[in-house]
Amino acid sequence: MGLVELAKIAGVSVSTASRALSNHPRVARGTRERIVALAQEHGFRLNQTASALRKQRTGAIGVVVPMGHEVDQALSDPFFMGLLGGLADALAKRSYDLFLSRVVPQGPRWLDDIIASGRVDGIILIGQSDQFDAIERVAESYERMVVWGAARLESHQVTVGTDNVTGGELAARHLIKRGCKRLAFLGTTEVPEFADRYRGFQAAVRDFGEVAETVVPIHLAVENAYREIGAYLAANPAPDGVFAASDVIAMSAIRAFADRGLRVPADVAVVGYDDILLAGYTSPALTTVRQDVVYGADLLVELLLARIAGQKVGSVAMLPELIVRDSA
């Protein structure tokens, strides 16, 4: 179905239909919602509409951060800031503006709505959150998108990230080599990247029958993580080795351990993930699994612009690197 046919079904002009699908403020909300509903009912692809409306490039790339799993996490999170800085530099070198959007998904079509707005030439998603299925559905037909996240076999998503399974294995083997016997993974396994980190961590632990491991669900926002780790320690024996799903969680853990008189690394060894800028300046300095976000940001932009140009590209999984510092 084309835009003309959709306008006829809706009983409106073609210009009104196009404005409704691009979320134009001049179209009444009720009319806009009715036209969007008709478009969905008749299989009209909103991204195709946005593409047809754009006779010229916008010169902007949308960088979207979905927060379905963590509504309290701020864009000022050190990992986001490192990756966003790299993206801004990479886009500027290629004469593109960055259009940033932090989204708490409402309903299954939140990504369709962003695409239909027509304000950007393509989209870089920072993380899959708990929205993998919604992203996958869009990726089947919308090619001007790349994702920082976990790769999956048979997925339509073009992703950039580290080999998170290997990263989890590196962390676990390092802790076990230090003599740790009671390991804890701190973080949620709802996020694909974190799930892969735990999968690698768990696989390495299985190779050592005398080592036990547990998962402690922890949120990513600093204060929430600190409180949740404290609550866990108040009700359970402390582990002697911790692998945190992110450096921010690892830093919160170090603070919670210190508050309870536990020494890092003498009583508890701590390994994080990301190697954010602050990781080398904590006390003690944080052992972590490094993601090269500057290189990753450049890859995201390079792959997206290749897709915009109609080229076929594949996902990239960068090798993680264990950075050993004082905390383990």
Side-chain angles (χ1 to χ4, degrees), residues 38-54:
L38 284 170
Q40 294 171 2
E41 179 184 346
H42 292 276
F44 188 85
R45 293 179 179 174
L46 303 187
N47 58 289
Q48 290 180 340
T49 304
S51 178
L53 292 173
R54 290 197 299 270

Side-chain angles (χ1 to χ4, degrees), residues 62-234:
V63 176
V64 181
V65 186
M67 294 294 190
H69 69 292
E70 189 65 75
V71 296
D72 292 331
Q73 190 178 14
L75 286 176
S76 56
D77 179 284
F79 172 74
F80 287 149
M81 293 303 293
L83 190 52
L84 288 171
L87 287 171
D89 290 342
L91 288 169
K93 284 192 300 184
R94 296 163 173 88
S95 301
Y96 273 91
D97 293 326
L98 185 154
F99 187 89
L100 180 61
S101 180
R102 178 188 184 276
V103 178
V104 177
Q106 302 290 331
R109 304 191 69 85
W110 59 273
L111 187 50
D112 304 72
D113 294 340
I114 294 172
I115 294 167
S117 71
R119 292 180 290 181
V120 296
D121 294 331
I123 289 177
I124 297 173
L125 275 174
I126 304 302
Q128 293 145 322
S129 185
D130 58 359
Q131 299 293 305
F132 188 91
D133 290 343
I135 297 168
E136 181 65 15
R137 179 182 56 76
V138 170
E140 290 181 16
S141 58
Y142 182 69
E143 295 187 349
R144 296 186 168 201
M145 179 173 70
V146 294
V147 182
W148 175 276
R152 291 289 183 267
L153 290 175
E154 308 302 325
S155 172
H156 293 88
Q157 297 176 43
V158 172
T159 62
V160 173
T162 53
D163 180 344
N164 292 287
V165 174
T166 297
E169 291 176 351
L170 288 172
R173 293 187 185 281
H174 181 70
L175 290 168
I176 293 167
K177 185 178 179 180
R178 289 192 81 260
C180 299
K181 303 290 187 182
R182 304 181 312 279
L183 303 185
F185 176 84
L186 307 184
T188 176
T189 56
E190 295 179 6
V191 178
E193 287 177 282
F194 292 0
D196 284 354
R197 290 169 199 176
Y198 174 63
R199 187 153 58 90
F201 171 82
Q202 188 180 45
V205 170
R206 285 200 199 102
D207 291 340
F208 299 87
E210 71 279 12
V211 178
E213 58 90 7
T214 187
V215 178
V216 185
I218 299 294
H219 286 88
L220 289 166
V222 175
E223 288 303 318
N224 290 344
Y226 169 73
R227 285 193 298 270
E228 289 164 354
I229 295 166
Y232 176 80
L233 292 173

